[in-house]
Amino acid sequence: MPDFENTKWYVTPIKKYADFTALTELPKVKVEKTETIEQHGDQTWVKVTLKNPSDKLAFFIGLKAKTSESHEMVLPVFWSDNYISLLPGEERELTVKMNTKDLNGEQPVIEMKGYNTL
């Protein structure tokens, strides 16, 4: 909670921070992920489909593009969306675009990590 009464021109102090400890109680969810790689000129696109088959929320799922053998992060990349949550039964398709030369001859692999995903 911001302390607006003590705001200075360069900072607003915080009176009280949010309590997110209840997030640790979220049940674990197994999210299904499929990837399709497409070539578009000098770019590689990966379409990623995420599905939450459970009856629980899959919270704050983040995706990274890495190379298949050296496991290096591919940069720069351009996501259609990222850091998403999936409601029970929800399915979403995301696309990441990257320059093929940045893969250094390897295939792209998408790494997924969520707050309560397995």
Side-chain angles (χ1 to χ4, degrees):
M1 168 186 301
D3 184 4
F4 293 115
E5 293 174 5
N6 293 309
T7 295
K8 305 277 190 267
W9 67 271
Y10 56 90
V11 69
T12 299
I14 302 297
K15 278 187 198 178
K16 182 179 176 183
Y17 291 93
D19 180 6
F20 294 110
T21 55
L23 292 176
T24 62
E25 304 300 320
L26 286 172
K28 297 293 184 189
V29 175
K30 183 169 176 69
V31 173
E32 298 170 358
K33 174 178 65 89
T34 57
E35 305 169 22
T36 305
I37 301 171
E38 300 176 357
Q39 291 301 134
H40 293 268
D42 61 351
Q43 285 196 333
T44 299
W45 296 9
V46 182
K47 291 186 178 182
V48 183
T49 303
L50 301 177
K51 183 176 181 180
N52 178 4
S54 77
D55 61 350
K56 309 289 188 241
L57 172 72
F59 185 65
F60 205 61
I61 301 166
L63 302 170
K64 293 180 185 176
K66 293 191 168 185
T67 54
S68 57
E69 294 173 31
S70 60
H71 307 289
E72 295 292 324
M73 219 161 127
V74 182
L75 293 171
V77 295
F78 302 95
W79 288 96
S80 60
D81 203 354
N82 205 344
Y83 295 100
I84 64 168
S85 295
L86 293 174
L87 295 173
E90 185 177 7
E91 182 175 319
R92 296 263 309 266
E93 183 180 272
L94 309 168
T95 303
V96 60
K97 300 175 183 180
M98 63 199 77
N99 294 319
T100 303
K101 67 180 173 84
D102 294 332
L103 293 167
N104 298 319
E106 298 181 45
Q107 290 295 308
V109 175
I110 305 303
E111 182 180 285
M112 175 184 71
K113 186 173 183 181
Y115 195 85
N116 66 323
T117 58
L118 297 172

